[in-house]
Structure formats: C-alpha cells, structure tokens
Amino acid sequence: MTNTTSQHAMNSIFDSMLTLAIPLALTEEICDFLLLNPQWASGFSIVDAQGMGQGAALQTAIEKVQGRSKRKLIMVVGEQAQLFELVAALGQKIKNPDVAYWVTPVHRFGRF
C-alpha cells in the first residue's frame, strides 16, 4: 500500500472527532477507560483548558475569583458511529454533569 493509498484509507475511516471537556479529577479514570477500549479510541490527545460560563463548575477559591475552572480536553479522532458508541459507554460509566462533549466532522486526517 502506498502512502497515498494509506492516507486515503485513513481519511475514509476517521471522519469525526469527539472532544471531552472534563474536570481534572476525572483525567486518569477517563484515560484508563480509553486505553482499555481501543476499539473506540485507538489513540487520543489531552490538552490543558479552562472552562467558563454557566456549565463551568468552580471548585476552588481561585477558580471562583477568576470565574473559570481548570479542565482537560481529550480529543479522539475516529469513525462517527464508533465515537457515538464511546459516548454512550462513557455516559454509563461516568455519570457526571461536569463532563461536556461534542462531536465534529473531520475533513481530513493523516500523518507525515
């Protein structure tokens, strides 16, 4: 398989990205879940973030003063149907209203 062919194969498989916005306290639990379920997440990225607005649960005094909460964003690129399965499974395991998620289209995915 040439690089162009493998690139095309990746593009047709990875059509969506799930982003989870989570409290810091859930980072290890969710990462462990993802690592134990490679059928839904063959890999993922974690980014430091801050949440603001109505949905932001402010825990510490500093967060209350600043008006924003420390979060992690976990991003998983994959096939939309599998990502929806992952969301359902995570929702059963982690019943926490402080976890937000969204799924967006991925127009192209590849590696150099």
Side-chain angles (χ1 to χ4, degrees):
M1 184 184 289
T2 66
N3 191 29
T4 305
T5 305
S6 63
Q7 190 80 7
H8 178 70
M10 277 193 233
N11 288 336
S12 63
I13 295 170
F14 298 131
D15 63 356
S16 299
M17 181 172 65
L18 167 64
T19 302
L20 300 164
I22 65 169
L24 297 180
L26 292 176
T27 304
E28 293 307 316
E29 183 178 359
I30 292 178
C31 287
D32 288 346
F33 182 87
L34 294 174
L35 290 170
L36 290 171
N37 291 283
Q39 73 275 20
W40 293 320
S42 60
F44 55 93
S45 297
I46 304 170
V47 178
D48 290 333
Q50 295 181 348
M52 298 178 75
Q54 293 180 24
L58 306 175
Q59 305 293 327
T60 67
I62 291 174
E63 289 179 348
K64 290 175 184 174
V65 169
Q66 292 177 335
R68 57 186 182 259
S69 63
K70 291 182 179 179
R71 315 278 286 166
K72 293 286 186 181
L73 296 181
I74 298 178
M75 297 169 285
V76 182
V77 176
E79 184 181 352
Q80 185 180 51
Q82 290 179 333
L83 294 177
F84 287 168
E85 289 175 16
L86 173 56
V87 166
L90 270 172
Q92 291 297 312
K93 179 161 181 55
I94 302 185
K95 297 178 187 302
N96 187 323
D98 289 337
V99 175
Y101 72 89
W102 54 93
V103 177
T104 55
V106 170
H107 298 288
R108 188 173 187 128
F109 177 87
R111 298 186 183 276
F112 292 108

